[in-house]
Structures are given as C-alpha cells and as structure tokens.
Amino acid sequence: MDATTAPHFIPPEMPQYGEENHIFEMMQNMLEQVLIHQPQDPIPFMIEHLRRNNDNVPKIVILGPPASGKTTIAMWLCKHLNSNLLTKENLVEREFSVLSMEAREYYNVYKTIPNAMLIHLIQERMNEEDCIRKGWILDGIPETREQALMIQTQGLAPRHVIVLNAPDTVLIERNLGKRIDPVTGEVYHTTFDWPPEPEIQNRLVEPDGISELETAQKLMNYHRNIMRILPTYPKILKTISADQPCVDVFYQALTYVQAGHRCNAPFTPKVLLLGPTGSGKKLQAALLAQKYDLVNVCCGKLLKEAVADKTPFGVVIRPFFEKQMAVPDSIIMKVLDQRLSQRDCIEKGWVLHGFPRDLDQARMMNSVGHNPNRVFFLNVPLDSILERLTLRRTDPVTGERYHLMYKPPPTMEVQARLLQNPKDSEDQVKLRIDLFYQNCEELEQFYEKAITLNGDQDPYTVFEYIESGIINPLPEKLA
C-alpha cells in the first residue's frame, strides 16, 4: 500500500471476522509447525495441518513432588477433557511398539530409561492418531532440565504446564498411606481417600518406595531438578498448592487449562457493560476509556446530546423527553448506530453502557453489525444498590454531589439544603432494578459468552477483573 495515503479505512467486518474465526492464531500456529517440522513441500503440510484442526486440543504437562497428587489430577483432567494420559509406566508397557519393548528390556536390567529413549517413546506416542485428535497430558515428565530441552527440540511444546506444591512434611505423611488398585491404577489413601467398596479395599496394594527415608530422598532429588525445569516454561506455567482438598486442586487446574493464553493478534475491544442501575457501569466504563483510550458510549448521554445539539435525530427525540415518554427503540438504534460507525469507534474500540436493556434491543443492535466482543454482567445485591443510590444528594447552590455515607456534606448548613433526585427514591430504584432483572435472563442467554462479575466490591477490584476479561482470551467452555 502507498504509505502516503494512510490511515486507511478498514471495514469493521474485517477485524471482526478475523477475531471470531481466530485467523491470526491459526496462521501463527501453522507457521510454528512449518518451522518445527521443516517439510520439503510446505503447502501439502499446511493443508494437512488445517484439516487436523487440532490447535486447541489439550497439551498439558503436570509436575509435582511425590504424593502431591499429580497422577490423580492428571487422570481427572484426562477424563474431563477426553484426552490421553501419558506416563513413563504406560509408555514403557505398550504392547505393539518395538521401542517400548526395547525400553522394557533396558529398564529390567538397569532400572532406568535413557533420556533419549524416553523422549523417542513420547514422540512416537504423540504422533499417533488419538493424541493428534484428542491431545495429551504428560504426568511427571520431564523429570530433568535435559529432558525438558530434548522435548522442546522435538517440537513437542505444551500449551499449559501445572506444578503442584506442598510442604515436605505433608507429602511424607501422604506417601506413607498411599495404596494402589492394581486393576484400575487408581490411587487411594488410608486416611484421606479410602474406597467404600470392600472388593476394592481387599485388592489394594502398597507401592514400593514409600517409606519415610525413600520419600525424603525422592523429594530432595525432585527439588534439585524442578528449579532447573521451571525456567523452560516461563509464560505457560501455573503453580497450585496441593495442600488442599483434591477437588479444589482439580478445579483450579481445570480453570487454568481451559483459559487461553494472551495472543498478539490485533484486537479492537468492543465492550458491553450490563447490570442493574447502581451497579457501577458508568464508573467502570470511564476507567476503561481512560486506560485503554476506548470511546465511552453512554446511550442516555447520546440522546441528551442529540437534543441539546438540535440534530435531526434530536428534533425527533425532544417531544419524547418533554412528555417524559420512552424513546422508541428504532430511534435509539439509529443514534447509536451513527455513533458506533464513526471512525474513532472503529479504530480505537468502544465501551457501551445503558443499551441494550432487553432481548429485542440486543437483536436490533446485532442486526446492524455492532456485536460486542466482550460482555460483562455486574451483579450487585439490592441492599447495596439502595445504599449507593438512595443516599445520594445534590447541593442546589453549588451543584456539588454528595453521598450521606461515603461523601457527607462538610457542614450542617450544606446538609440542610441538599436535595434528592426523584429517580433516587427507593421506590423508583426498586422499579428500575425489577425491570432489569425481568430481561436479564434473556440477555444472558443471548450473550452466552458473557462474563458475570461480583460488582459489590471495591471499584478498582472490579476493574481488574474486567481488564483481565478483556486482555485475555475467553475461557473455552468444554463439557
């Protein structure tokens, strides 16, 4: 393009299509695979890569000291994500692999497996169709930095790495009570996780190497190696405390692996804030606009400005204002469409609040092509909203705004002349809240990828959650 004609007008449909279909990520992943595998003819390779459509399958490494519960978490994740569990044991025990047979023979003699042989076992397994289609979860591998680097050089890059941590005293106590079901491979504990079925109880066996001394030696070896492994995965690493109920560890791990990593793809935020009156939408919109240079679009303010500026739309809207009647949706949508179609909104992005208020308005907004790519519902209890709104007052002399609890007037003289906006009366506030929640369920179903937040906390805490939801990819909703 001729640089002298910049800036170029880019139709809003183009970046929207790119984001919805993950075009940037698709091209980035494909380029990575071409550079890793270096095929002689890259075109058929890229076509086959696109056909596989497996960029988002699980590729997870779970590490942790003995008795941290990593195998249990790995098995639960495997079942939940319908993926493949890879352990040193099941890699060696594979029946129809010549390499596995060689590894078994070597292990029977030397009680260890060379790093190169282990990495080739992993590579062989990951190249099979089920791992390509469903992904994989590596349990306890890599054990050393050398293994981690060898895995990287083979192009076997995980998307998420989870490290479980717990005090050594806790781990030693856990390990002493560990029992294994030889039939299913499930791990149980004499104190924390004893099976209720007598049949399972009777067949449980005590694994080798769980004495206090042996466990302490394994922990020392683990700590020595893990500190050299962690720098290999600086941007995809999540540390989780294993000194808590196993279910809590699992859900923290699941939340992490379902969350995508930040991407360098061009992104124009189009943020919609929804919530009852008094939930803090206006403040959050102002904070987002200030930090990210977004266009702050308040629907009510747009209508008032149109009337004040006597625009053609303002002339139509004025009679509705004078009669205190609701402005028809079709007119509101035309004013909003005009504002969101301006170049600053297209180039910078926008944060919208005050519209839509119901399903029809949401569909109308969608029909003209203004689809938000981030939607947030701010939930605040009724008592908190009443406290925020019904205690607001205005000084008719100075125009200064006060709050009887959070920003009280400086003197009794000022307090005596304060006035309350009729909209802030308890009855009016409850009416507006009821109207919002009558339509809330339909809006939540329409915006199925919306993020719901607790708005009843410090405004800057709420802002951090919203900010995180904007700069990070939306969580993958897996079954």
Side-chain angles (χ1 to χ4, degrees), residues 279-345:
S279 58
K281 302 184 296 295
K282 183 177 179 181
L283 173 59
Q284 296 303 325
L287 293 173
L288 286 171
Q290 181 182 28
K291 181 163 184 178
Y292 292 101
D293 197 26
L294 305 181
V295 180
N296 187 350
V297 182
C298 173
C299 190
K301 187 178 179 182
L302 278 182
L303 301 180
K304 291 175 184 176
E305 288 175 348
V307 172
D309 295 340
K310 298 180 181 179
T311 66
F313 287 129
V315 173
V316 177
I317 294 169
R318 177 179 288 277
F320 294 97
F321 274 19
E322 292 174 346
K323 297 175 183 177
Q324 295 186 345
M325 296 172 59
V327 181
D329 290 351
S330 58
I331 298 175
I332 297 176
M333 194 64 249
K334 288 177 181 177
V335 176
L336 188 60
D337 179 39
Q338 184 183 62
R339 182 66 189 93
L340 296 181
S341 299
Q342 291 179 15
R343 175 162 290 193
D344 60 343
C345 283

Side-chain angles (χ1 to χ4, degrees), residues 91 93 186 191 202 282 300 310 350 365:
L91 288 171
E93 295 299 326
E186 292 277 356
T191 304
N202 294 331
K282 183 177 179 181
K310 298 180 181 179
W350 44 261
M365 185 172 157

Side-chain angles (χ1 to χ4, degrees), residues 408-456:
T411 66
M412 294 299 293
E413 180 186 355
V414 174
Q415 182 168 345
R417 67 177 185 239
L418 295 182
L419 299 176
Q420 183 185 41
N421 190 319
K423 289 184 178 180
D424 290 342
S425 69
E426 185 171 330
D427 290 341
Q428 286 294 315
V429 171
K430 285 182 176 179
L431 178 62
R432 283 183 286 163
I433 292 173
D434 289 342
L435 285 173
F436 172 79
Y437 282 112
Q438 284 174 15
N439 300 299
C440 182
E441 186 176 349
E442 290 182 331
L443 286 172
E444 287 178 339
Q445 291 175 355
F446 185 78
Y447 295 115
E448 59 181 2
K449 292 187 177 181
I451 299 172
T452 300
L453 301 174
N454 174 19
D456 190 23

Side-chain angles (χ1 to χ4, degrees), residues 116-165:
M117 183 177 288
L118 177 62
I119 303 311
H120 287 146
L121 282 171
I122 294 171
Q123 188 175 28
E124 181 185 68
R125 181 71 183 91
M126 288 183 181
N127 285 333
E128 294 184 357
E129 182 61 27
D130 59 340
C131 278
I132 292 172
R133 190 163 35 88
K134 296 181 178 180
W136 43 265
I137 299 174
L138 263 180
D139 172 19
I141 304 172
E143 297 175 317
T144 64
R145 177 169 174 80
E146 289 70 26
Q147 290 181 6
L149 295 176
M150 290 175 73
I151 288 173
Q152 279 190 342
T153 57
Q154 296 299 320
L156 308 174
R159 296 180 65 212
H160 300 89
V161 176
I162 297 170
V163 178
L164 304 182
N165 280 336

